[in-house]
Amino acid sequence: MNSKSLFFSLLLLTLTPLAYAASVLELPTSVEVKVLNGQVYSGDRDIKLSEGENQIVFNYVVNYRDNGMQTQFNSNAVVLTFNAQNDRYELTLPTIRNKNAANKFNKTPSMTLTNKQGSTVSFQSEALIKAGLQIGRDYPEEMIAYNQAGHIASVPRFAPAAQVAVVPIAATAASAPSINHPAEPVTPNLAVKPKTIAEDQAEIGEMLDYWYNKANDDTKAKFKAKINQ
């Protein structure tokens, strides 16, 4: 290999890691990610991010003791938006030790985002609230509405605008005045995708969590006794 070829080979080896470098977000084990950049997420706990603006929807799920009873806290969905710039990031959440701390997080989610140097990274976050029972939620659909509404953690490019079909207008006779007719929106034919077993079981798990957390201590004890039979 001549000196010129050797130089270009070394240059390629030097530049390749930069070309393929990607940002990663490390999450606590207590975080359940629902949506990443507008799409349902079911990947690893270390999330590979896009360079630039990223948006994550997650739940904080952790256990604490309340009046001697083990209680599971499943937070409201939280929207987190920040800019990734070829770095490794870590999300840290507050410790939940009692009901007051759980309620405080649900009302105003607090967290810390740092890069691999330990420096604090700016972000926007907000609870994604849905009225009524929090069961069987379509998070990607909710996020389209959220991002279109311009909330604090919105990312408009993750909420594609509805497409409107242009209806062609037949030509009129030369003597007749031209009339501009507004295009009529066409309702898209959306195919219903059947749920997978994992999605079905996840929904059942949410239902069990919801009713268990609604029960009083006596009902919880009876429920545990039935499980242990």
Side-chain angles (χ1 to χ4, degrees), residues 147-199:
N147 286 322
Q148 288 176 342
H151 292 285
I152 186 172
S154 292
V155 181
R157 69 187 179 92
F158 296 141
Q163 298 295 317
V164 179
V166 178
V167 180
I169 302 171
T172 59
S175 58
S178 61
I179 301 174
N180 292 326
H181 297 276
E184 297 181 1
V186 176
T187 303
N189 183 19
L190 299 177
V192 178
K193 183 180 178 182
K195 293 180 181 178
T196 64
I197 294 175
E199 290 172 338

Side-chain angles (χ1 to χ4, degrees), residues 57-136:
V57 181
F58 68 88
N59 289 100
Y60 184 18
V61 183
V62 67
N63 294 324
Y64 66 90
R65 298 192 69 81
D66 183 23
N67 295 324
M69 296 289 292
Q70 192 79 354
T71 301
Q72 184 182 72
F73 169 60
N74 193 338
S75 75
N76 288 327
V78 179
V79 183
L80 170 67
T81 300
F82 71 99
N83 263 311
Q85 300 295 334
N86 190 21
D87 208 338
R88 192 170 187 91
Y89 302 90
E90 182 177 3
L91 181 68
T92 305
L93 299 175
T95 301
I96 304 294
R97 291 196 175 93
N98 52 54
K99 190 174 182 179
N100 288 337
N103 290 338
K104 182 179 179 181
F105 184 89
N106 261 344
K107 185 177 180 181
T108 309
S110 60
M111 64 204 76
T112 303
L113 186 65
T114 54
N115 60 18
K116 63 184 177 183
Q117 290 80 27
S119 301
T120 301
V121 177
S122 62
F123 62 87
Q124 293 78 40
S125 66
E126 187 176 24
L128 180 65
I129 304 298
K130 176 188 175 185
L133 295 180
Q134 309 295 295
I135 297 174

Side-chain angles (χ1 to χ4, degrees), residues 22-43:
S23 294
V24 174
L25 174 63
E26 298 177 15
L27 297 172
T29 57
S30 52
V31 166
E32 293 182 358
V33 179
K34 302 297 183 182
V35 177
L36 171 63
N37 295 340
Q39 303 296 321
V40 174
Y41 183 78
S42 57

